[in-house]
Amino acid sequence: MKFKKAFAGIGLLMAGALALSGCAAEGGADGDGGGDAEVVQQEFPEGSTMAALQADGKITIGTKFDQPLFGLADASGLPSGFDVEIGKLIAAELGIPADSIEWRETVSQNREPFIQDGSVDIVIATYTINDTRKEVIDFAGPYYVAGQSFLVPAGNPQGVVGDPGPDDLADIAVCTVVGSTSEQNVRELNPREVITVDKYSDCLEPIRTGQADALTTDNVILAGLVDQNEGEFEVVEGTFTEEPYGIGLQKGDDEFRDFINDVLEQAYDDGSWASAWESTAGTVLPTPEPPAVDRY
Ligand code: GLU
């Protein structure tokens, strides 16, 4: 709880090593907390994605496996975090219990392909809604809005700032993830070097060895990594982008997108969105107001 204040103000220093593993797992163990949502039986239009998933009694959800607070897999490959809780809320409204969700690891750059080729039914993975992605998939949401910032060694030896101007990164080597908005956004600021990896957790070692000066991505992902690695890192104050998190689904499935948006709005109203936050990201971060969903 003490970190809520730090996040709003001066930066973060935090705790704990957690195992990462696995590619896919079925199950609904709560991990970080979060009670499983009550499974609802309702009637869906014939031929709809909702009816098909309900009939199957299972859903495959792509999420991150290396991001504490949002999607972090335990030793058995079962993830926990805010994104995972949002997935459980959606599954419950389809009549699917948490232990019948198949969780599939998605990294930043395979999210659209996994949705397009049917490897997953939906992606909930700190996934920014933007027009480029909307050319090939659709998004429900947003259900949270993050902002891009920097994780640096504790004490911020290079004096990295959270909202850099055109020359501020001229001496800075940044590490980020391929296929992310973070990569695109930071390249526009012309850092000395951009080191790209597949997952944000892979940026920590380059920072430890001095190969990279900073890791850049969404502030809430950074907060989770600081929390996981006690005393080693901090998040600098400030952000320089807006990252509205959406739920990725196949392009053109308006009925399914409407359904997910309805589930989100209901979760805003009945307190289950806030409970999902409090039991996961809210253990470290302040509780925000939920954003309005965009029924484009
Ligand atoms: N939200 C950004 C994105 O979707 C960065 C975080 C991530 O890569 O998951 O690209």
Side-chain angles (χ1 to χ4, degrees), residues 77-182:
L78 197 61
S80 59
F82 185 57
D83 283 341
V84 172
E85 293 303 314
I86 295 291
K88 290 180 192 171
L89 291 174
I90 295 166
E93 292 295 322
L94 290 164
I96 301 171
D99 61 6
S100 296
I101 300 171
E102 182 178 332
W103 296 102
R104 191 119 195 226
E105 181 176 21
T106 46
V107 294
S108 299
Q109 74 170 333
N110 66 18
R111 291 175 293 195
E112 290 95 280
F114 272 22
I115 293 167
Q116 288 176 285
D117 71 13
S119 299
V120 296
D121 296 302
I122 52 176
V123 165
I124 314 175
T126 59
Y127 198 6
T128 296
I129 301 170
N130 68 24
D131 288 343
T132 313
R133 291 170 177 168
K134 271 169 32 185
E135 284 171 16
V136 292
I137 60 146
D138 270 318
F139 284 103
Y143 60 94
Y144 181 73
V145 182
Q148 189 168 342
S149 190
F150 298 89
L151 174 150
V152 294
N156 193 5
Q158 304 280 352
V160 176
V161 295
D163 51 351
D167 301 323
D168 285 342
L169 299 178
D171 295 329
I172 304 297
V174 295
C175 183
T176 192
V177 161
V178 66
S180 65
T181 56
S182 315

Side-chain angles (χ1 to χ4, degrees), residues 28-290:
D30 285 337
D32 258 352
D36 286 350
E38 202 182 314
V39 172
V40 178
Q41 290 302 337
Q42 51 183 314
E43 267 201 32
F44 293 114
E46 224 181 281
S48 64
T49 301
M50 295 84 81
L53 291 168
Q54 186 186 47
D56 278 358
K58 62 184 171 58
I59 184 170
T60 304
I61 304 180
T63 196
K64 297 294 185 80
F65 275 22
D66 73 322
Q67 294 180 188
L69 308 181
F70 279 77
L72 179 71
D74 65 15
S76 71
L78 197 61
S80 59
F82 185 57
D83 283 341
V84 172
E85 293 303 314
I86 295 291
K88 290 180 192 171
L89 291 174
I90 295 166
E93 292 295 322
L94 290 164
I96 301 171
D99 61 6
S100 296
I101 300 171
E102 182 178 332
W103 296 102
R104 191 119 195 226
E105 181 176 21
T106 46
V107 294
S108 299
Q109 74 170 333
N110 66 18
R111 291 175 293 195
E112 290 95 280
F114 272 22
I115 293 167
Q116 288 176 285
D117 71 13
S119 299
V120 296
D121 296 302
I122 52 176
V123 165
I124 314 175
T126 59
Y127 198 6
T128 296
I129 301 170
N130 68 24
D131 288 343
T132 313
R133 291 170 177 168
K134 271 169 32 185
E135 284 171 16
V136 292
I137 60 146
D138 270 318
F139 284 103
Y143 60 94
Y144 181 73
V145 182
Q148 189 168 342
S149 190
F150 298 89
L151 174 150
V152 294
N156 193 5
Q158 304 280 352
V160 176
V161 295
D163 51 351
D167 301 323
D168 285 342
L169 299 178
D171 295 329
I172 304 297
V174 295
C175 183
T176 192
V177 161
V178 66
S180 65
T181 56
S182 315
E183 179 194 3
Q184 283 179 334
N185 297 332
V186 83
R187 284 192 189 281
E188 284 170 22
L189 293 167
N190 298 314
R192 176 169 66 78
E193 188 184 351
V194 179
I195 298 160
T196 52
V197 292
D198 282 336
K199 304 174 184 187
Y200 295 103
S201 52
D202 292 339
C203 281
L204 298 180
E205 211 42 39
I207 295 181
R208 289 186 179 114
T209 63
Q211 192 199 348
D213 300 305
L215 154 57
T216 186
T217 187
D218 304 338
N219 52 353
V220 292
I221 298 173
L222 301 176
L225 293 170
V226 169
D227 185 36
Q228 188 190 43
N229 296 277
E230 187 178 2
E232 269 198 274
F233 306 109
E234 65 183 64
V235 181
V236 305
E237 192 178 348
T239 56
F240 63 101
T241 68
E242 278 207 348
E243 307 293 329
Y245 286 176
I247 293 152
L249 68 150
Q250 287 210 338
K251 190 163 177 61
D253 196 344
D254 293 349
E255 220 172 15
F256 192 32
R257 181 156 56 88
D258 282 344
F259 163 79
I260 297 174
N261 281 331
D262 289 345
V263 173
L264 289 176
E265 283 179 348
Q266 186 182 313
Y268 293 177
D269 289 346
D270 69 13
S272 47
W273 179 91
S275 303
W277 178 271
E278 288 292 345
S279 65
T280 57
T283 56
V284 169
L285 299 166
T287 304
E289 281 299 311

